[in-house]
């Protein structure tokens, strides 16, 4: 594990700070089928901050960050039959399930791949009349999680979860004081797009009592968009020393758009990393690796 940070002035009006962390360890166990070490960790992240003060009362703070995790963590461990006297299908078909807390015996390796980054800008100005502030931010996330759903060496199926999301937000505020009057006004805007996010679970026909042949199985994918808008204000009046009357209001609205797809397909063979194949009633993507 490594953590490091450095900060200081760059010029008379510009300061900077840089921080980085790196976290890595070998796997605590092993997939005895593939030989891959599992439940390891490999993560890196960095952040840069820049503070600029060109004139009195005006400053701009820029913050950018990035992180990436890519390892074989999140393994599904086999701990025996859930019901006494019932042998899991994978074991009945000749597969192996290791009943311990470290190793696994799976036909595929677990996989976690998460990447996220973001940037924000805060600009503020203070004058004799009051102050104004703007905060702008953007964030992006791409993730993939894959795990063997049956926990045995039999190729019964595995689950791949994907999530791709982005967010944007903007806030403006202003406040001031004139005599005994104090005021504040502001507005916010928010946008989020999750597209696409879903799960792909190819399943063997053996799940339905058929041959041990991997088919497309279950697929779900969803798109979601969120729009948010808000405005607010506050007024205060100092009647006498120590006694102030305050009033204000806020209005906000939020709108969501959803589009979900669910599909079962036990006809077409699963093609690992293959193209999008048309099927009855829609499409079945085979490239969510």
């Amino acid at each position: 594990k490594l953590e490091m940070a450095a900060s200081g002035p760059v010029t008379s009006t510009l300061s900077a700070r840089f921080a980085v962390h790196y976290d890595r360890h070998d796997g605590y166990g092993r997939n005895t089928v593939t030989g891959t070490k599992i439940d390891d960790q490999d993560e890196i992240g960095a952040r840069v901050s820049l503070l600029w003060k060109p004139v009195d009362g005006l400053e701009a703070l820029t913050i950018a960050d990035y992180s990436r995790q890519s390892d074989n963590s999140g393994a599904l461990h086999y701990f025996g039959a859930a019901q006494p006297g019932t042998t899991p299908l994978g074991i009945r078909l000749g597969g192996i399930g290791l009943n311990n807390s470290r190793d696994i015996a799976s036909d595929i390796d677990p996989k976690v791949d998460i990447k996220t980054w973001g940037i924000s800008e805060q600009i503020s100005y203070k004058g004799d009349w009051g102050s104004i502030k703007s905060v702008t931010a953007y964030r992006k996330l791409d993730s993939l999680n894959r795990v063997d759903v049956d926990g045995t060496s039999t190729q019964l199926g595995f689950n791949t979860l994907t999530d791709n999301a982005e967010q944007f937000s903007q806030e403006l505020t202003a406040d001031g004081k004139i005599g005994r009057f104090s005021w504040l006004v502001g507005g916010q805007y928010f946008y989020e797009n999750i597209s696409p996010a879903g799960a792909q679970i190819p399943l063997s026909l053996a799940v339905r009592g058929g041959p041990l042949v991997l088919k497309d199985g279950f697929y779900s994918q969803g798109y979601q968009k969120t729009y948010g808008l808000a405005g607010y204000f506050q007024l205060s009046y100092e009647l006498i020393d120590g006694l102030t009357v305050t009033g204000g209001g806020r209005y906000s609205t939020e709108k969501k758009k959803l589009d979900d797809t669910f599909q079962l397909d036990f006809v077409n063979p699963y093609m690992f990393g293959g193209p999008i194949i048309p099927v009855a009633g829609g499409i079945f993507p085979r490239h969510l690796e």
Side-chain angles (χ1 to χ4, degrees):
K1 185 173 183 178
L2 173 66
E3 294 184 357
M4 181 179 66
S7 62
V10 179
T11 67
S12 59
T13 60
L14 181 65
S15 300
R17 186 178 190 275
F18 174 77
V20 63
H21 81 271
Y22 179 63
D23 199 350
R24 183 186 183 280
H25 64 74
D26 290 336
Y28 295 116
R30 186 179 297 274
N31 185 352
T32 60
V33 175
T34 64
T36 304
K37 288 187 175 181
I38 61 166
D39 291 331
D40 60 331
Q41 184 174 5
D42 194 349
E43 181 180 353
I44 188 171
R47 182 176 63 213
V48 178
S49 302
L50 297 174
L51 179 60
W52 184 43
K53 298 181 178 180
V55 295
D56 291 342
L58 176 63
E59 65 177 45
L61 175 62
T62 305
I63 302 175
D65 65 89
Y66 171 87
S67 67
R68 175 74 181 271
Q69 178 185 356
S70 182
D71 48 46
N72 298 108
S73 59
L76 177 63
H77 292 264
Y78 174 81
F79 292 109
Q83 299 179 1
T86 301
T87 303
L89 178 60
I91 304 298
R92 294 205 308 268
L93 293 173
I96 300 172
L98 300 180
N99 191 4
N100 63 54
S101 59
R102 295 297 187 188
D103 297 337
I104 63 173
S106 296
D107 53 288
I108 67 163
D109 293 323
K111 180 66 176 178
V112 173
D113 193 348
I114 302 174
K115 179 174 66 176
T116 179
W117 64 273
I119 185 170
S120 66
E121 183 71 29
Q122 302 178 31
I123 302 175
S124 62
Y125 176 77
K126 292 183 179 180
D128 296 336
W129 55 271
S131 65
I132 185 171
K133 184 177 182 180
S134 169
V135 181
T136 309
Y138 177 84
R139 181 155 296 278
K140 185 74 169 66
L141 167 70
D142 296 292
S143 69
L144 179 147
N145 293 267
R146 185 176 63 231
V147 66
D148 188 4
V149 294
D150 60 279
T152 73
S153 59
T154 305
Q155 195 181 49
L156 293 180
F158 58 89
N159 186 8
T160 301
L161 295 174
T162 59
D163 191 0
N164 301 279
E166 61 178 348
Q167 294 179 350
F168 173 79
S169 62
Q170 173 66 56
E171 182 174 7
L172 288 171
T173 58
D175 65 88
K177 185 175 182 180
I178 303 176
R180 292 181 175 270
F181 277 102
S182 298
W183 56 274
L184 181 145
V185 63
Q188 297 173 318
Y189 173 77
F190 174 81
Y191 169 76
E192 181 182 53
N193 181 25
I194 303 177
S195 170
Q200 184 180 17
I201 310 177
L203 296 172
S204 170
L205 288 183
V207 177
R208 305 175 64 201
L212 190 62
V213 178
L214 202 60
K215 297 294 184 178
D216 279 338
F218 172 76
Y219 168 73
S220 69
Q221 178 173 289
Y223 296 82
Q224 176 177 303
K225 293 184 179 181
T226 303
Y227 305 87
L229 189 65
Y232 52 88
F233 72 94
Q234 178 177 298
L235 297 174
S236 299
Y237 182 73
E238 186 179 18
L239 297 175
I240 58 175
D241 292 342
L243 179 61
T244 302
V245 178
T246 301
R250 178 185 176 91
Y251 172 82
S252 62
T253 178
E254 183 176 279
K255 182 180 180 180
K256 290 183 179 290
K257 293 183 178 180
L258 301 173
D259 185 2
D260 294 326
T261 300
F262 301 93
Q263 185 166 303
L264 289 172
D265 180 8
F266 287 104
V267 176
N268 295 296
Y270 176 74
M271 297 172 59
F272 197 71
I276 296 179
I277 305 297
V279 297
I283 59 173
F284 196 102
R286 302 179 183 177
H287 66 299
L288 294 182
E289 151 57 3

